[in-house]
Amino acid sequence: MDENSAIIEAILREDGLATNLNGHQSQDSGWKTVSYTKRRKNPPKNSVQPSLTAFHDSDVFRSVDQHSEDRLRRSREVAAAAAMAAALQSAFRSKQHSYDDDSGAESSAGAVENGGAVEKKVKPKKPKKPKVSVGDVASKMDADDLAAFLLDISASYETHHDIQLMRFADYFGRAFASVTAAQFPWVKIFKESTVGKLIDVPLSHIPEAVYKTSVDWINQRSFEAVASFVLWLLDNIHADLEIHQGTVKGSKKVAQQVPSKSQVAIFVVLAMSLRRKPEVLISLLPIMKENPKYQAQDKLPVTIWVIAQASQGDLAVGLYMSTHMLLPMLGVKSSSNPQSRDLILQLVERILSSPKARSVLINGAVRKGERLVPPSALELLMRATFPAPSARVKATERFEALYPTLKEVALAGSSGSKAMKQVLLQIMKFSIKAAGEGIPDLSREAVDIFTWCLNQNPDCYKQWDLIYLDNLEASVLVLKKLSNEWKELSAKTPSLEPLKDTLKGFQQKNEKELSNGEHGARRHASLKDADKYCKVISGRLSRGHGCTTSKVFASAALAVAAAAGFALLFPNLQSSD
């Protein structure tokens, strides 16, 4: 490039001289000085000014012009060649820079020569990492290695069970680090799986020896530490679920992202903790009921999975959580839909289908002062099982299948205890109300439950007396049942005196209401029916009492007659003695 520049500069200098000569005419007046065009700031000192007399002849000027044109043509060719060389060199530099780049990308600046374009080189693809499944990792886990690790952390953090549990979770986190979210799409699995399949995710992959080593070690941790640990794991799952679903509307704070690779470990460790210490879930129930994030509709599959894990360890805990947390959702319109109802029923059906579930649940109907099926849950179940004919749905038959066992659990307990007395009074309130709603099947079931309560505790009659006039139509149905089924009911009643006193009170109220006359025809008819059944039952009570008295006197008379006959047969027995 330097040699080309020098040639071009020399040609241009000569062209400047020729131009100056052609631009001036000789004058007769004498000599005239001709100035050169300045090409450099410091011209050579030995430069001289030529005289025009040397080029006076016209032929000389013609040869100079021709020579100038030749030099101009050559300068243009040299300039074009130099431009081409510069373009080639620039392209070379650009391509060399592309080859040296770390990304290894190919330069797209290809020179076009003779109408042909240089082909682009294809970027080589990076080799894909092998896919690792949950089962692949789980099959390689060593129970002895885990036992040694647990022994070490138990000694290192002897009094800090919470730290031990965190290290325990970290062990499984490192083990499953190679399992990507694509290999464990838990959100999709939870949406598409039934409860029967969901309950074993992902614990079915864990070897039995590893599982037993883990749960035995968890059993030795404190209740409080395990409860806090379970809540921490559950919060991590909910945080990851929010990431999959996007930021909650109206929430300014974005949930902290949990690494997807740790999700397998979190589910595994949480499942083992709940199965070994299921009762910790009951201690967390107040937190889960008060915090909306545990009750949202999109969180239901996670809640179902958690309760299902606990039920694997204790059926009573599973039913307790189902009736206290899940069944109330069915009474809320926003969360009561076919999908939610189906998931909840699947869980309860699985619990009740377990071997010896009925006997286990009835014997454990009360747990630490709390009933597995509280009165509120019984009312909800009763209404779902006996709806109006027009309100029946596909799930009604499933409720009908579950209701008998759940009703037994709800009514189980010692009738004479104070706690059971309060339960009976609560059941009486909603059953007498349901009996008067005019739905045939519901009324029949409510009357049966109300009558059962009367036979369990004498104080229930006092409660009935208080609510009698406010629930007159329902009370008529109860009186009618007592009248029609008197033989069976009277045989089950320990004492008939409370009923006799209650009926006297009803008759007095009926007479007062009828004499008042400030009621409609329907209420008047109900009062008449109630008074009629009260008299019928009172008459049976009186006849029963009279029969009992006659039997006593007859027995006494027979005893006296027997004694007299004995004296007549053996008159000399006493004298001989």
Side-chain angles (χ1 to χ4, degrees):
M1 287 300 297
D2 294 338
E3 182 180 356
N4 294 332
S5 300
I7 295 172
I8 294 171
E9 185 177 357
I11 293 173
L12 293 177
R13 189 183 302 116
E14 292 178 1
D15 288 344
L17 174 61
T19 302
N20 290 332
L21 293 174
N22 290 329
H24 296 82
Q25 297 292 334
S26 61
Q27 298 180 4
D28 296 336
S29 58
W31 296 94
K32 182 176 180 181
T33 303
V34 179
S35 62
Y36 290 92
T37 303
K38 293 183 179 181
R39 296 297 178 184
R40 291 179 296 181
K41 293 182 179 180
N42 297 320
K45 295 181 180 180
N46 57 354
S47 62
V48 295
Q49 297 179 351
S51 175
L52 290 180
T53 56
F55 306 98
H56 184 68
D57 193 352
S58 59
D59 292 336
V60 176
F61 285 101
R62 188 163 39 254
S63 62
V64 171
D65 292 337
Q66 185 176 359
H67 184 62
S68 176
E69 290 176 2
D70 293 337
R71 284 183 302 196
L72 182 59
R73 185 178 61 258
R74 288 198 305 273
S75 67
R76 288 175 179 174
E77 291 175 358
V78 172
M84 179 63 72
L88 290 174
Q89 188 171 5
S90 176
F92 176 79
R93 286 194 187 124
S94 176
K95 186 174 293 187
Q96 185 67 28
H97 179 71
S98 300
Y99 289 152
D100 294 338
D101 189 66
D102 293 337
S103 63
E106 296 292 337
S107 174
S108 62
V112 179
E113 294 182 358
N114 299 326
V118 179
E119 295 183 0
K120 298 181 180 179
K121 293 185 178 181
V122 180
K123 180 180 178 181
K125 295 182 179 180
K126 295 182 179 180
K128 294 183 179 180
K129 295 181 179 180
K131 296 180 180 180
V132 181
S133 66
V134 178
D136 294 337
V137 175
S139 62
K140 298 177 182 179
M141 296 188 73
D142 185 11
D144 293 335
D145 180 74
L146 173 61
F149 174 80
L150 296 177
L151 183 64
D152 180 62
I153 63 173
S154 298
S156 300
Y157 309 100
E158 184 176 359
T159 60
H160 299 283
H161 288 184
D162 52 344
I163 299 178
Q164 294 179 24
L165 289 166
M166 289 295 182
R167 293 296 308 277
F168 172 65
D170 182 63
Y171 179 90
F172 282 87
R174 285 183 280 108
F176 288 98
S178 58
V179 180
T180 63
Q183 296 303 310
F184 184 61
W186 71 270
V187 176
K188 180 180 179 182
I189 294 173
F190 275 43
K191 285 183 178 180
E192 299 176 354
S193 302
T194 62
V195 174
K197 294 181 179 179
L198 192 64
I199 198 170
D200 293 325
V201 175
L203 211 54
S204 59
H205 298 286
I206 303 301
E208 184 63 27
V210 174
Y211 174 79
K212 189 176 185 306
T213 302
S214 300
V215 296
D216 289 346
W217 181 82
I218 292 173
N219 189 42
Q220 299 174 6
R221 304 313 104 188
S222 67
F223 182 91
E224 294 76 11
V226 176
S228 300
F229 183 58
V230 167
L231 185 61
W232 177 78
L233 294 170
L234 187 57
D235 286 343
N236 274 277
I237 292 175
H238 282 293
D240 190 64
L241 179 60
E242 290 180 1
I243 294 170
H244 283 82
Q245 296 174 341
T247 308
V248 181
K249 294 182 179 180
S251 176
K252 296 182 179 179
K253 184 178 180 181
V254 180
Q256 183 179 1
Q257 184 168 0
V258 181
S260 298
K261 66 182 181 181
S262 67
Q263 291 309 306
V264 180
I266 287 177
F267 278 100
V268 168
V269 174
L270 179 57
M272 291 190 294
S273 300
L274 289 172
R275 292 189 180 200
R276 192 61 189 91
K277 283 186 176 289
E279 62 275 7
V280 301
L281 197 58
I282 296 180
S283 68
L284 299 177
L285 179 60
I287 298 175
M288 298 176 67
K289 291 181 69 173
E290 293 175 2
N291 196 325
K293 75 177 181 179
Y294 299 109
Q295 297 183 346
Q297 179 66 29
D298 53 355
K299 308 298 194 306
L300 183 60
V302 176
T303 304
I304 293 286
W305 181 86
V306 168
I307 297 177
Q309 300 307 316
S311 68
Q312 291 294 99
D314 191 336
L315 289 176
V317 173
L319 183 60
Y320 181 93
M321 293 296 298
S322 299
T323 57
H324 285 75
M325 186 169 185
L326 299 181
L327 284 182
M329 294 182 182
L330 299 180
V332 181
K333 292 183 179 180
S334 60
S335 58
S336 180
N337 56 62
Q339 292 78 14
S340 301
R341 186 166 53 237
D342 176 62
L343 282 175
I344 295 173
L345 287 174
Q346 282 188 55
L347 178 60
V348 178
E349 287 167 348
R350 182 176 180 85
I351 293 173
L352 296 186
S353 64
S354 301
K356 299 181 180 180
R358 178 179 174 275
S359 60
V360 170
L361 296 174
I362 291 177
N363 293 332
V366 181
R367 193 180 188 90
K368 296 181 180 180
E370 296 288 338
R371 302 193 65 82
L372 298 186
V373 182
S376 59
L378 178 61
E379 179 184 8
L380 193 151
L381 290 167
M382 184 181 68
R383 293 183 178 278
T385 307
F386 303 99
S390 60
R392 290 183 65 88
V393 294
K394 291 183 179 179
T396 302
E397 294 182 0
R398 298 171 68 182
F399 278 107
E400 290 174 347
L402 298 173
Y403 180 75
T405 302
L406 296 175
K407 176 184 174 182
E408 283 188 274
V409 177
L411 301 180
S414 177
S415 59
S417 64
K418 293 182 179 180
M420 190 62 184
K421 175 184 174 181
Q422 297 301 320
V423 172
L424 293 172
L425 295 179
Q426 293 179 46
I427 294 176
M428 287 183 67
K429 287 182 180 180
F430 72 74
S431 60
I432 195 68
K433 181 180 178 182
E437 293 182 2
I439 302 174
D441 292 340
L442 180 62
S443 297
R444 192 179 303 111
E445 176 64 19
V447 169
D448 289 345
I449 293 178
F450 189 89
T451 306
W452 178 86
C453 292
L454 294 175
N455 293 332
Q456 299 303 308
N457 195 304
D459 290 337
C460 291
Y461 286 100
K462 297 179 181 179
Q463 177 68 18
W464 187 15
D465 184 67
L466 295 175
I467 62 176
Y468 172 71
L469 290 178
D470 293 334
N471 299 273
L472 183 60
E473 294 184 8
S475 296
V476 171
L477 296 176
V478 176
L479 291 169
K480 182 179 180 180
K481 181 179 178 64
L482 291 175
S483 176
N484 295 340
E485 303 176 13
W486 175 251
K487 290 184 179 180
E488 295 82 0
L489 295 174
S490 60
K492 298 177 182 179
T493 303
S495 175
L496 295 176
E497 288 300 321
L499 175 59
K500 184 177 181 180
D501 296 337
T502 302
L503 293 176
K504 287 181 180 180
F506 287 172
Q507 288 177 308
Q508 293 174 0
K509 293 178 180 179
N510 293 337
E511 292 176 2
K512 184 177 180 181
E513 286 289 317
L514 288 171
S515 62
N516 191 0
E518 297 180 357
H519 44 70
R522 182 174 179 177
R523 186 171 180 83
H524 181 82
S526 297
L527 288 169
K528 283 287 187 179
D529 291 339
D531 193 58
K532 178 184 68 174
Y533 290 122
C534 285
K535 290 178 180 179
V536 171
I537 299 172
S538 297
R540 290 175 178 174
L541 285 170
S542 299
R543 286 196 300 272
H545 180 70
C547 292
T548 303
T549 304
S550 300
K551 290 179 181 179
V552 172
F553 281 113
S555 300
L558 289 174
V560 172
F566 185 82
L568 290 173
L569 290 174
F570 305 98
N572 298 323
L573 183 60
Q574 186 176 4
S575 59
S576 62
D577 291 339

